[in-house]
């Protein structure tokens, strides 16, 4: 929950800032190319997301763990923020290309998220509850990101807002590094519970005898 919250808290505002950088003149007025550029940014990210999801799914079937794939998705955000800051005056093509990283991050994190929840909740009957809870944290993070990020833009400028996102984007990486690998762990907790229950039953039978 916290990893997803901080990821979306850092991520959601970046597309807004990117659109403002690509679509605004020096005086802040929107250019005629603003709408095509923002539309292109969204389409590029979605197309890359589809490819990243397909590739990530293939890698999971080949035995690649959940943790490295999810970490790879999280790592795209600080790189993306840093590139936008570095390329803010380099031209629209450079800025637009950073959306490839957005697609990779969204694709891998979106793919691995239900796998993680399924691994953790296997046999408990709580999959839907945890999916809803994590999705709520993701939505809350994105909402706060858009609201607070644009406040920072109004008062301190685009670079300051991106620097804030860059700093926040490190938090989910650090949080998730502490999480153990969940691939291959499904049912282990349930087996432990069954073993404990069997031990108690055997002890009770011995006492009764």
């Amino acid at each position: 929950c916290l990893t997803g919250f901080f990821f979306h808290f850092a991520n959601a505002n970046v597309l807004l800032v990117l659109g403002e950088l690509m679509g605004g003149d020096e005086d802040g007025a929107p250019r005629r190319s603003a709408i095509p550029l923002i539309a292109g940014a969204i389409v590029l990210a979605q197309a890359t997301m589809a490819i990243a999801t397909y590739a990530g799914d293939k890698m999971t079937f080949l035995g690649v763990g959940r943790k490295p794939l999810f970490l790879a998705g999280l790592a795209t955000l600080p790189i993306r923020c840093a590139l936008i800051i570095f390329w803010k005056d380099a031209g629209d093509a450079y800025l637009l290309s950073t959306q490839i990283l957005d697609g990779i991050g969204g694709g891998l994190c979106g793919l691995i998220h239900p796998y993680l929840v399924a691994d953790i909740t296997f046999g408990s009957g709580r999959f839907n509850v945890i999916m809803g809870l994590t999705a709520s944290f993701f939505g809350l993070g994105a909402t706060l990101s858009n609201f607070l990020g644009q406040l920072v833009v109004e008062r301190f400028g685009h670079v300051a807002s991106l620097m804030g996102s860059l700093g926040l984007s490190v938090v989910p990486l650090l949080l998730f590094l502490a999480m153990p690998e969940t691939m291959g762990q499904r049912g282990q907790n349930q087996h432990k519970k069954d073993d404990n229950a069997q031990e108690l039953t055997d002890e009770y039978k011995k006492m009764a005898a």
Side-chain angles (χ1 to χ4, degrees):
C1 286
L2 289 176
T3 298
F5 170 81
F6 279 106
F7 177 76
H8 288 279
F9 190 22
N11 181 60
N13 176 59
V14 177
L15 178 59
L16 295 178
V17 177
L18 180 67
E20 290 164 2
L21 288 173
M22 291 192 301
D25 288 326
E26 292 182 1
D27 59 356
R31 292 183 294 173
R32 293 182 63 183
S33 59
I35 293 178
L37 284 170
I38 294 172
I42 296 171
V43 171
L44 180 59
Q46 293 296 316
T48 310
M49 187 183 300
I51 297 171
T53 303
Y54 177 80
D57 186 55
K58 291 295 183 183
M59 284 188 278
T60 59
F61 279 106
L62 292 174
V64 179
R66 323 290 197 217
K67 188 171 183 176
L69 289 175
F70 203 79
L71 281 173
L74 295 176
T76 61
L77 183 52
I79 298 172
R80 178 176 168 228
C81 291
L83 286 176
I84 294 173
I85 294 170
F86 184 71
W87 285 341
K88 66 182 181 66
D89 298 318
D92 295 336
Y94 286 91
L95 292 172
L96 190 63
S97 67
T98 61
Q99 283 299 98
I100 295 173
L101 290 170
D102 186 29
I104 295 173
L108 291 179
C109 291
L111 170 72
I112 301 301
H113 170 219
Y115 277 112
L116 290 171
V117 175
D119 292 342
I120 294 169
T121 62
F122 184 82
S124 68
R126 299 188 180 97
F127 175 80
N128 288 332
V129 174
I130 301 303
M131 281 294 292
L133 181 63
T134 52
S136 298
F137 271 79
F138 297 174
L140 178 61
T143 302
L144 290 174
S145 177
N146 289 326
F147 177 68
L148 296 176
Q150 289 302 297
L151 282 180
V152 174
V153 170
E154 290 178 8
R155 298 188 179 187
F156 304 105
H158 295 97
V159 174
S161 184
L162 287 169
M163 289 294 290
S165 291
L166 176 59
L168 285 169
S169 66
V170 178
V171 177
L173 274 171
L174 296 176
L175 287 173
F176 199 74
L177 279 172
M179 183 171 175
E181 175 63 62
T182 64
M183 187 175 185
Q185 302 300 310
R186 293 188 185 186
Q188 286 197 1
N189 291 334
Q190 188 63 40
H191 291 323
K192 288 179 181 178
K193 291 179 181 179
D194 293 341
D195 291 341
N196 291 336
Q198 186 62 45
E199 289 177 3
L200 289 173
T201 302
D202 293 340
E203 289 181 6
Y204 177 77
K205 288 180 177 179
K206 290 178 181 178
M207 292 174 63

